[in-house]
Amino acid sequence: MSEAPRGELICSVDDIQVKQALRVLIDDYPVVVVRDSEGEIHALGDTCSHADISLSEGDVEGCAIECWGHGSQFDLRSGAPLQLPAYEPVPVFALAIHDGNVYVDVTTVTNGAAAPQLG
């Protein structure tokens, strides 16, 4: 039996549909777990870098999620803003799929964005 990966068990892979976003809290830090149009799963900080708005409430198109507040879009792979008014990336977290489950490690930011301040 293989060992579970680092990070927090979030959900089953089957719990997230294509073009769906799921908001979770990890150590009181908001994370959005997203399945893009290709079926790939990503984990990002759930707060838009332009305003204090949850990205999980936005639309997923292709490999981007749109902030419903002002229309900024973020690349799910890199966290980079694709459309103004946001110009700072959101953090992208290490994600692993193990035995059909999704694990997110918020202590490992993969895109160079600021790491979350955890309680």
Side-chain angles (χ1 to χ4, degrees), residues 20-35:
Q20 181 185 8
L22 173 68
R23 182 180 194 267
V24 296
L25 292 176
I26 300 175
D27 292 332
D28 293 327
Y29 183 81
V31 174
V32 60
V33 179
V34 183
R35 183 171 260 185

Side-chain angles (χ1 to χ4, degrees), residues 38-105:
E38 302 286 317
E40 294 295 316
I41 299 175
H42 310 270
L44 297 90
D46 185 42
T47 305
C48 178
S49 62
H50 168 254
D52 190 19
I53 296 174
S54 173
L55 294 175
S56 64
E57 297 175 24
D59 292 330
V60 178
E61 286 298 328
C63 197
I65 190 164
E66 181 177 44
C67 176
W68 62 267
H70 299 107
S72 291
Q73 294 178 352
F74 296 89
D75 186 299
L76 295 171
R77 297 163 295 208
S78 68
L82 302 173
Q83 188 163 325
L84 295 172
Y87 58 89
E88 292 290 327
V90 293
V92 176
F93 300 111
L95 178 140
I97 300 194
H98 179 75
D99 290 340
N101 293 312
V102 178
Y103 293 81
V104 175
D105 180 3

